[in-house]
Amino acid sequence: MAVLPRRDFLALGSAAAAAALLPGKAFATIPTGVKLHGLSAFGDLKYKPDFAHFDYVNPDAPKGGQMNFAPPNATLNQSFLTFNTLNSLVLKGDSPPRTELCFDALMASALDEPDAVYGLLAESVTLSQDRNGFRFSLRPQARFNDGSPLTAEDVAFALKLYKDQGHPNLSKALRYMTEAVATDPVTLDLTFNGEQSAQNILAIVSMSIVSKAFYTANDFDASTMTPPLGSGPYKVGRVAAGQTVEYERVADYWGRDLAVNRGLYNFDRIRIDFYLDRQAAFEAFKKGDTHFREEFTARVWATGYDFPALKDSKVVKREIPGEKTPDMQGVALNQRRPQFRDERVRRAIARCFDFEWMKRALFYGSYERSQSNFERSDYKAEGLPSSGELALLEPFRAELPPEVFGEAVAQPLSDGSGHDRKLLGEASRLLAQAGWKRAGSFVVNDKGERLQVEMLAEDDGIVRIFTPWSENMKAIGIDASIRQVDSAQYEQRHSDFDFDLTVLHWSIGATPTVDGLEMLYDSRMAKTPGQRNYPGTESKAIDALIVAAGKAQSRSELVTALRALDRVLRARLDWIPTYYLANHRVAYWDMFGFLEQKPDFGFPVETLWWFDKGKAAKIGKG
């Protein structure tokens, strides 16, 4: 929790603001001393203790077949382009996506609820009277994939290991945990210091559990191609380092009949191939080497899907509604570098981004302009601040830009010409106000140093976006350039905050966790390698608003805190918002079965869908 200096605490000025920033109890509406089959941040659970399966699955889905899958998302140290380790739980190295399928967690998420989890390894959880203790009763049948029992000792070991040595996202979530004790093989007690939030606990109960025996005999922090011992529905099969990984379904998986698993994990094999080039990846899909692909390049979606398999109806191309979760793609200017600390410089660079031209010329009419850090959600600030938002913001008025207290800041529309003279004129004036004067082709400061912006890119698609942006920057005297690097360099430079400008796309869940918010915005993360606070944001107001979000006792309180946070981020322009897509653009070989109605808070086709033998035979994939 961010600790407020005494002078700021005393300046709160209203009971509402003081209450919002004082410590609150996580799960305040959930009964204590009672065995619970599930948890949610605000106490509401859709499914009863005797539920048979989630509503969004087919409980009778057949098992079998193979999906060659191009993952649309990743977590922790996972990479889309290559891999050199099978350990996704540490910062070191690049691991393949979906290693998490090899592990179980204490509880599993319901994808049709915004923040609910239900027992997986844990049959039940009981809250202590002070709500700082959580007793988990584990299922005695839980097993690792070598047949050895998975006990409370393994869970305690794993969580303590992550707190001390795990990936920063894991260790940060566990910082409030003071004890993890196995009182017997099926009873685990977790104790917290009182500063934890409900969202924090939900993140912890979803963490992969590893074997104490395995990581007593093996180095946890090693980059290794030896698969760790898992307990989940899949295990690592064939591996070609940097090229291919296959996950094989565990036929005798101990948890296959649990309600949280019924109807899921249907493919016998999930294969992921890695391509350094987007076009090569697309060609693999066209040939049928890849079976499912989500398309993120507007040009390819508009013009590339004209190959024979699609014309012959062997491939399906369609849009599927997106999730009801906050979404953001934005560009960070690294404020660890002094030239970007002035808001006027950031605003000038933002004025050079001509979305309207890009939408027409590069995006084929796709995408909408992002304005918020919480696009597509109730957390997006609109209009003037509410009284609740003002109560949170007012104590920090002296620190905050005055725009925070007016209409929610929005980036201006361009005329779509690609070179909007009005906006570029505004950008030039902002630079002049910030002390950058024109000297020949460039603007310089009082030391004669040019204003330089190197835009860091990983692939050709981002280079296409950056190129017209950099040309507009050059037009107003900024020495702009684009540096394209390979995946390993890209990740390392991000981890070390070694860049001027970079792009990030993120979605932090329907009920954003404090850990997710801190990773992106908290002052401490500005100096923590491996975090996603790329701009180097350091703000007492932002830290306090994250605390307020973590202490929210209802969804309406959470909405108020996050709308206030959104106002601050937009006014400061810590992230320059770019664009978003409302739907998933997907293409797949017509060999799968699935329920047409997808869940609102997730779209993991590799675990929801199944292999349809009849369809596969019709297209020659049987």
Side-chain angles (χ1 to χ4, degrees):
M1 183 180 75
V3 180
L4 295 178
R6 182 173 177 82
R7 62 181 181 276
D8 288 331
F9 182 79
L10 294 176
L12 288 174
S14 78
L21 296 181
L22 284 170
K25 289 293 183 184
F27 303 113
T29 62
I30 294 179
T32 61
V34 178
K35 288 189 174 183
L36 306 168
H37 71 294
L39 293 171
S40 75
F42 305 117
D44 299 322
L45 290 174
K46 173 181 177 180
Y47 295 96
K48 304 301 182 185
D50 59 350
F51 80 100
H53 59 82
F54 293 131
D55 289 346
Y56 52 83
V57 305
N58 173 8
D60 301 316
K63 306 295 184 185
Q66 177 169 320
M67 174 183 267
N68 294 357
F69 173 62
N73 48 46
T75 186
L76 301 177
N77 70 352
Q78 296 174 357
S79 170
F80 299 109
L81 302 181
T82 187
F83 67 99
N84 50 34
T85 180
L86 293 174
N87 185 357
S88 293
L89 300 169
V90 296
L91 181 60
K92 185 187 299 182
D94 296 315
S95 69
R98 302 304 181 266
T99 54
E100 61 271 21
L101 294 175
C102 301
F103 301 95
D104 284 320
L106 285 169
M107 309 185 86
S109 296
L111 300 181
D112 54 352
E113 298 179 85
D115 55 32
V117 292
Y118 295 87
L120 201 173
L121 287 171
E123 193 168 35
S124 68
V125 57
T126 305
L127 277 66
S128 65
Q129 188 172 3
D130 65 2
R131 302 182 192 276
N132 291 330
F134 297 77
R135 170 161 287 185
F136 294 90
S137 297
L138 270 59
R139 302 183 193 273
Q141 69 268 36
R143 291 289 185 274
F144 286 104
N145 290 333
D146 65 353
S148 61
L150 192 161
T151 69
E153 190 65 37
D154 292 295
V155 183
F157 170 83
L159 296 181
K160 288 186 284 190
L161 184 66
Y162 300 159
K163 182 175 180 180
D164 293 338
Q165 302 180 45
H167 189 281
N169 291 2
L170 301 175
S171 60
K172 182 161 58 66
L174 288 158
R175 67 191 181 280
Y176 305 130
M177 186 183 77
T178 56
E179 284 189 303
V181 178
T183 60
D184 62 47
V186 294
T187 306
L188 171 77
D189 287 337
L190 299 184
T191 306
F192 295 83
N193 64 8
E195 297 182 0
Q196 76 282 354
S197 67
Q199 298 97 315
N200 178 258
I201 302 300
L202 296 178
I204 291 170
V205 301
S206 301
M207 290 180 180
S208 298
I209 300 304
V210 296
S211 162
K212 179 179 180 180
F214 182 88
Y215 277 119
T216 300
N218 295 275
D219 181 6
F220 174 67
D221 194 36
S223 289
T224 176
M225 299 304 293
T226 300
L229 177 61
S231 62
Y234 286 90
K235 63 182 178 181
V236 175
R238 190 174 76 85
V239 172
Q243 300 177 35
T244 300
V245 62
E246 293 182 355
Y247 299 105
E248 297 177 353
R249 188 169 62 84
V250 178
D252 58 350
Y253 169 46
W254 75 271
R256 63 186 178 276
D257 295 324
L258 296 178
V260 293
N261 289 331
R262 194 167 293 128
L264 298 171
Y265 313 118
N266 301 311
F267 296 105
D268 280 347
R269 187 175 294 103
I270 298 171
R271 173 177 170 139
I272 300 173
D273 292 313
F274 294 77
Y275 300 92
L276 294 176
D277 179 75
R278 285 195 183 195
Q279 187 59 39
F282 184 48
E283 293 300 324
F285 173 75
K286 289 162 63 175
K287 291 190 298 182
D289 293 340
T290 302
H291 301 148
F292 175 92
R293 167 186 174 88
E294 185 164 355
E295 185 57 67
F296 294 101
T297 304
R299 174 183 55 82
V300 175
W301 186 251
T303 67
Y305 285 79
D306 59 354
F307 48 93
L310 189 136
K311 294 176 179 178
D312 294 341
S313 299
K314 294 181 178 181
V315 168
V316 176
K317 175 194 177 194
R318 61 179 296 192
E319 292 194 18
I320 294 176
E323 286 67 69
K324 296 179 180 179
T325 54
D327 184 87
M328 174 63 177
Q329 180 167 290
V331 159
L333 286 162
N334 189 351
Q335 296 170 39
R336 300 167 190 84
R337 300 186 174 171
Q339 66 267 37
F340 305 126
R341 291 174 191 159
D342 192 311
E343 291 173 24
R344 293 168 295 189
V345 172
R346 301 198 293 275
R347 290 179 188 174
I349 291 172
R351 294 292 192 273
C352 296
F353 177 66
D354 191 333
F355 170 76
E356 284 68 35
W357 179 85
M358 288 187 185
K359 181 175 181 177
R360 174 177 55 81
L362 299 181
F363 298 158
Y364 295 84
S366 299
Y367 299 106
E368 300 300 327
R369 179 69 195 266
S370 290
Q371 297 290 357
S372 166
N373 284 252
F374 305 107
E375 205 65 67
R376 301 192 316 186
S377 78
D378 291 339
Y379 310 128
K380 179 179 179 178
E382 302 278 4
L384 294 170
S386 67
S387 59
E389 292 170 57
L390 286 173
L392 294 172
L393 295 168
E394 194 63 45
F396 305 97
R397 182 179 282 272
E399 172 195 328
L400 295 172
E403 292 85 357
V404 169
F405 299 90
E407 294 278 341
V409 170
Q411 297 301 303
L413 296 176
S414 76
D415 62 10
S417 66
H419 191 81
D420 187 317
R421 292 187 177 185
K422 178 182 176 182
L423 292 183
L424 294 180
E426 290 177 9
S428 293
R429 287 190 290 274
L430 286 164
L431 291 182
Q433 292 167 13
W436 296 92
K437 307 301 182 184
R438 195 76 183 225
S441 299
F442 300 101
V443 293
V444 298
N445 60 16
D446 55 8
K447 297 179 182 178
E449 299 167 332
R450 295 178 183 177
L451 176 54
Q452 295 181 320
V453 179
E454 181 184 85
M455 310 173 83
L456 185 65
E458 184 181 26
D459 59 48
D460 293 340
I462 297 301
V463 170
R464 291 179 66 244
I465 305 306
F466 281 169
T467 297
W469 197 347
S470 68
E471 291 302 316
N472 276 341
M473 281 192 257
K474 291 175 184 176
I476 63 169
I478 297 174
D479 187 3
S481 61
I482 301 170
R483 174 66 63 87
Q484 186 174 359
V485 297
D486 62 31
S487 177
Q489 280 186 285
Y490 191 75
E491 292 301 323
Q492 189 61 52
R493 290 184 66 169
H494 273 176
S495 181
D496 295 339
F497 305 127
D498 181 19
F499 54 82
D500 289 346
L501 181 153
T502 193
V503 66
L504 180 68
H505 175 252
W506 69 88
S507 180
I508 55 177
T511 304
T513 67
V514 170
D515 300 301
L517 295 170
E518 288 181 341
M519 176 182 69
L520 289 162
Y521 310 123
D522 187 85
S523 298
R524 292 167 297 179
M525 300 305 110
K527 297 181 175 66
T528 305
Q531 295 303 296
R532 295 295 187 262
N533 185 346
Y534 290 158
T537 302
E538 295 186 74
S539 163
K540 292 176 184 176
I542 289 175
D543 295 345
L545 291 169
I546 293 172
V547 172
K551 298 305 180 184
Q553 299 297 300
S554 66
R555 187 162 294 279
S556 63
E557 289 182 10
L558 179 65
V559 168
T560 296
L562 292 182
R563 286 180 179 175
L565 176 60
D566 191 36
R567 290 182 188 279
V568 174
L569 292 167
R570 289 162 67 174
R572 285 172 48 102
L573 210 62
D574 286 278
W575 294 88
I576 300 172
T578 55
Y579 50 86
Y580 71 96
L581 191 66
N583 299 322
H584 295 283
R585 297 181 302 207
V586 302
Y588 52 89
W589 286 74
D590 193 12
M591 51 194 282
F592 303 115
F594 53 87
L595 298 183
E596 189 63 34
Q597 184 66 41
K598 63 176 283 294
D600 286 337
F601 302 107
F603 186 48
V605 296
E606 70 278 19
T607 60
L608 287 174
W609 290 14
W610 61 90
F611 183 76
D612 187 314
K613 289 183 178 179
K615 286 184 176 181
K618 288 181 180 179
I619 65 170
K621 291 283 188 180

